[in-house]
Amino acid sequence: MAEIGRISEVAGYLWEKGWAERNGGNISVNVTDLLSEEERGMPALCDPVPLQEAVTALCGHVFFVTGTGKRMRYVCRDAFCNGSLIRISPDGTSFEIIATQLIPPTSELPSHLMMHNYLRASGKKNRVVLHTHPTDLIGLTHCKPFLDSERITRLLWSMIPECRIIVPRGIGIVPYEIPGTLELARATIKQLEKHDVVFWEKHGILAVGDDIIECFDAIDTLSKSAQIFFSARMAGYEPEGMTDRQLDDLVTAFNL
Ligand code: 13P
Ligand code: ZN
């Protein structure tokens, strides 16, 4: 499946970028439409695993999900030794691993599935949830004034025109929650009403989209903006940033 090649490609970028220490980050992709009926019906490798919260918009859907504790630097070499295909039950209350090995999914599965469920139920086409640990962006979330959606969005947009264009819906903020919890999942879903990229305070970044390369690009562009900001500050000056007028002109020029 070509999609697995694209997942591996992005896993390699995450490692090369230094965003994936040890098992940092995880990926899930809805591959239902990319599989034949026969492939979707593959026999399960395990008993059904109950979900803490039902995902009724995903009944019967199949996802590639990276494994818990698995390293992105190895996902990029062999996705199926470091992740698995899971199938949601017909009533949306459990999942089974169906291929190719019995590799338990990421600890962030509640967040990933609840996000896919929310997006699907809202009629969106997003198939991808990408979570990663970019040093510069996480660094920003350690500064209280930046834990404000409007302020951080304005700051990062204003560093480089592409940021306004590539991340048009801006950044959502989720205050710190324990990784892998339903609380983290629920708080994230709220942010997805307005944003496709969410910062998890003192933890990491999450992007949703229809294409895994584009999810990576959005985070990469935000990271570039953060680096411009930090470089200027380290050189001893406050970066001027683009003006409101300059940012608004992009909306017209690029139909945002
Ligand atoms: P997993 O190894 O369970 O995917 O956890 C990594 C992580 O980044 C948790 O937020
Ligand atoms: Zn994480």
Side-chain angles (χ1 to χ4, degrees):
M1 200 197 314
E3 188 66 15
I4 299 298
R6 290 158 63 77
I7 294 168
S8 302
E9 181 184 334
V10 167
Y13 299 156
L14 302 180
W15 167 245
E16 285 161 20
K17 282 277 177 187
W19 299 352
E21 73 293 340
R22 197 174 184 273
N23 61 313
N26 26 71
I27 300 171
S28 65
V29 179
N30 191 333
V31 293
T32 314
D33 293 340
L34 307 176
L35 299 174
S36 65
E37 209 179 316
E38 199 184 342
E39 287 168 329
R40 287 197 292 268
M42 277 185 276
L45 302 176
C46 64
D47 290 336
V49 182
L51 291 167
Q52 289 163 287
E53 194 153 307
V55 285
T56 48
L58 302 176
C59 301
H61 282 235
V62 177
F63 293 83
F64 174 83
V65 186
T66 51
T68 186
K70 298 297 184 186
R71 292 158 171 83
M72 287 296 159
R73 62 184 189 267
Y74 300 150
V75 174
C76 76
R77 280 196 225 151
D78 190 338
F80 277 117
C81 278
N82 296 280
S84 51
L85 289 186
I86 65 165
R87 180 177 55 223
I88 308 299
S89 63
D91 64 358
T93 62
S94 64
F95 72 88
E96 301 166 318
I97 299 174
I98 58 170
T100 57
Q101 299 175 45
L102 208 49
I103 294 180
T106 170
S107 57
E108 300 288 3
L109 193 69
S111 275
H112 283 249
L113 287 184
M114 282 169 65
M115 278 180 254
H116 284 290
N117 190 59
Y118 165 79
L119 292 164
R120 191 95 197 164
S122 345
K124 301 216 169 114
K125 285 203 326 197
N126 295 303
R127 293 181 312 112
V128 180
V129 175
L130 171 62
H131 164 59
T132 185
H133 294 174
T135 314
D136 38 23
L137 298 179
I138 296 172
L140 287 173
T141 73
H142 283 263
C143 177
K144 275 278 179 285
F146 290 146
L147 293 175
D148 174 278
S149 172
E150 260 181 54
R151 182 160 180 187
I152 193 68
T153 298
R154 175 74 180 73
L155 174 77
L156 295 178
W157 274 356
S158 79
M159 289 295 112
I160 182 172
E162 279 73 11
C163 198
R164 176 77 185 84
I165 299 162
I166 293 166
V167 191
R169 287 177 11 106
I171 300 153
I173 298 286
V174 169
Y176 182 80
E177 292 285 357
I178 296 174
T181 56
L182 280 184
E183 287 72 21
L184 180 59
R186 289 197 185 107
T188 308
I189 285 170
K190 269 199 183 155
Q191 296 301 314
L192 294 182
E193 289 166 17
K194 289 193 183 155
H195 311 285
D196 295 322
V197 180
V198 176
F199 286 13
W200 285 346
E201 181 185 355
K202 299 172 191 161
H203 176 171
I205 311 305
L206 189 135
V208 301
D210 193 34
D211 182 290
I212 190 160
I213 306 278
E214 279 173 17
C215 288
F216 169 80
D217 287 341
I219 301 174
D220 192 30
T221 307
L222 290 166
S223 165
K224 170 57 73 89
S225 282
Q227 285 174 48
I228 295 167
F229 173 72
F230 285 130
S231 305
R233 294 293 294 261
M234 281 189 286
Y237 65 94
E238 187 70 29
E240 190 171 274
M242 296 166 65
T243 63
D244 285 341
R245 175 70 194 273
Q246 287 168 336
L247 286 169
D248 289 346
D249 284 350
L250 293 172
V251 178
T252 325
F254 290 87
N255 265 332
L256 299 174

